[in-house]
Each structure stands twice: as structure tokens, then as C-alpha cells.
Amino acid sequence: MALRPPLLPADPDAPFPPGASALRQPDGLLAIGGDLTPPRLLNAYRHGIFPWYSDGQPILWWCPDPRTVFRTGRVRLSSRFRRELRRSCWSVRADTAFEQVIDACARIPRDGQHGTWITAQMRAAYVELHHRGHAHSVEVFDGQQLVGGIYGVAVGRMFFGESMFSTQSGGSKVALAALARCLHGWDWPLLDAQVENAHLLSLGAELWPRDDFLAQVAVQTQMPEPPNAWTSRFGTWPARLLADPST
């Protein structure tokens, strides 16, 4: 008989089941139902849990084992890509085109994926988190054209990446590396990437046992986040700065 994860109660402040109780098959499925209100979402992220489902499904909540994680000081760009960046005229900034980034992430074709998990309900939920200062985007521009980006959720000094995209080769790599560069400078040690794939691993992602990941999340999400909006803290700077491996 197949095991079923528990249904979440209607109260958005109700606790989630412990991450360690998630199913092995499918890996990491923890709970079903509930809603995507800001209190529920922030409660989930504080405990290393994220929603992921498709149209026609109930809301599914996940906490996989192992967890794919970047150390913010160890994102890896190839020497060839760094050489290309030295000639780049792209610029990078944050939180100036959040809705464009999430829409681009929803539209971009992905291998083995039909449609998108960024449903209208998910989009509305993360736009609301953005308006409340919890969801952020890093954007890569070629002049006035958006060519890459990443968005996710910040709680305390922990960043949970949700999705990224490119419309020109390397756009998502620049967005990820730029985000990691700034997080590292702000003393945020980790960037959650949720589920492994070959592309993330090639950029330096690590596979962490779930217990180790959740222990770090418990610490980082309780730390105070420095004040000021991300747009001003991040600034606008040329992507070619990423060509120097020491930065």
C-alpha cells in the first residue's frame, strides 16, 4: 500500500510535519494542500520546505534528501566563460524587473518538462512575497533587454532559489554567479538550489544530507537581515566583474 503524505490544516500558521518525515518515493514529498499565503510560505521556507506542483494538482510541499546547495563563495564558472565575460557589455541589478523574471522562468522551455510549474497561483503568491520584501530577483541586461535572471525567497540570511532563465547563452549563469557574489559579500553562506541537475552540479552545487541542510537553515533563517532594499544594496554593475575568479 502506497504511503500518502498528510494533509495540511486550513490554518496558514499551522506547523508543517518534520522534514525528516518526507516520503522516499517520490523523494521529499512532505505534505499536501494548504495555501500559498505569505505566512504559510515563509513558515515553509524557515523549515527548508518548498511548494512544487502542476496545474490540476493540489499544492504539494517538498523537502528532498539530499538537498542541492551552493556555498556562495564557491560558484564555479569555467575559464572559457570567464574569458567571454571580459568582453561582455551586460549589466546586473536586483529587484528592478521581478515580474519579468518570473514570467520568463515560466515561459522558458526545459528538457523533460511539459508546461510549467509556475502556475498563475504560484506567480501571484511570489509577486505578493516580492511586494512584502521577501522574494527577490537578480536580472541580467544587454542594454535594455533582459537576457537572464533568477528569483527566490530570502529569510534571515538564507536564500532559497526558485528558478532561473536565459534568453542568451550564459544569462542564467551570470545571474546565479552575481547573486552568489553579493550574498557572499553580505555574509550569507548558502544558496538553496532544491533539486540536483547536471547544470547546477557543473556550476559547483553540492549534495547535502537533508539533516545537515535543515540544521543550517535553522541557524541562518534566525539571523537578522541587513536593512535597505535589495536594489540599492545590490547596485548596478558590469557582468565582466565576474570574470575575475577572486571576486
Side-chain angles (χ1 to χ4, degrees), residues 105-174:
C105 289
R107 289 193 305 265
I108 205 79
R110 302 180 194 275
D111 291 342
Q113 178 178 309
H114 302 286
T116 179
W117 57 269
I118 305 175
T119 64
Q121 184 183 28
M122 288 279 275
R123 182 191 189 280
Y126 285 89
V127 169
E128 177 62 23
L129 278 186
H130 174 63
H131 290 158
R132 296 186 182 210
H134 299 293
H136 303 282
S137 60
V138 170
E139 307 116 14
V140 184
F141 284 90
D142 184 356
Q144 297 301 310
Q145 181 184 6
L146 183 66
V147 298
I150 186 171
Y151 79 95
V153 176
V155 182
R157 296 194 184 194
M158 181 73 202
F159 192 89
F160 302 89
E162 280 294 319
S163 189
M164 57 185 183
F165 81 97
S166 294
T167 60
Q168 292 186 26
S169 178
S172 63
K173 285 193 284 190
V174 168

Side-chain angles (χ1 to χ4, degrees), residues 4-198:
R4 287 181 57 85
L7 290 170
L8 292 179
D11 180 3
D13 295 316
F16 281 85
S21 67
L23 299 184
R24 283 294 177 187
Q25 291 294 331
D27 178 44
L29 182 57
L30 180 69
I32 297 176
D35 52 50
L36 297 177
T37 58
R40 180 98 67 180
L41 281 170
L42 293 175
N43 185 22
Y45 283 107
R46 288 188 188 100
H47 294 88
I49 300 162
F50 59 90
W52 186 26
Y53 65 102
S54 300
D55 267 330
Q57 292 181 319
I59 300 172
L60 305 176
W61 301 89
W62 301 82
C63 190
D65 185 18
R67 191 65 162 248
T68 306
V69 183
F70 284 98
R71 299 179 193 265
T72 57
R74 297 188 187 177
V75 172
R76 184 168 59 238
L77 298 177
S78 70
S79 298
R80 178 179 178 182
F81 187 64
R82 290 182 188 276
R83 287 196 297 271
E84 294 172 358
L85 281 178
R86 292 189 183 101
R87 302 187 299 272
S88 174
C89 60
W90 290 354
S91 62
V92 189
R93 54 188 192 244
D95 279 358
T96 66
F98 182 88
E99 293 190 42
Q100 288 176 259
V101 169
I102 196 171
D103 289 343
C105 289
R107 289 193 305 265
I108 205 79
R110 302 180 194 275
D111 291 342
Q113 178 178 309
H114 302 286
T116 179
W117 57 269
I118 305 175
T119 64
Q121 184 183 28
M122 288 279 275
R123 182 191 189 280
Y126 285 89
V127 169
E128 177 62 23
L129 278 186
H130 174 63
H131 290 158
R132 296 186 182 210
H134 299 293
H136 303 282
S137 60
V138 170
E139 307 116 14
V140 184
F141 284 90
D142 184 356
Q144 297 301 310
Q145 181 184 6
L146 183 66
V147 298
I150 186 171
Y151 79 95
V153 176
V155 182
R157 296 194 184 194
M158 181 73 202
F159 192 89
F160 302 89
E162 280 294 319
S163 189
M164 57 185 183
F165 81 97
S166 294
T167 60
Q168 292 186 26
S169 178
S172 63
K173 285 193 284 190
V174 168
L176 174 68
L179 171 61
R181 176 182 184 270
C182 281
L183 293 178
H184 186 63
W186 297 344
D187 199 25
W188 296 34
L190 301 177
L191 194 170
D192 175 35
Q194 298 181 346
V195 180
E196 72 175 288
N197 61 46

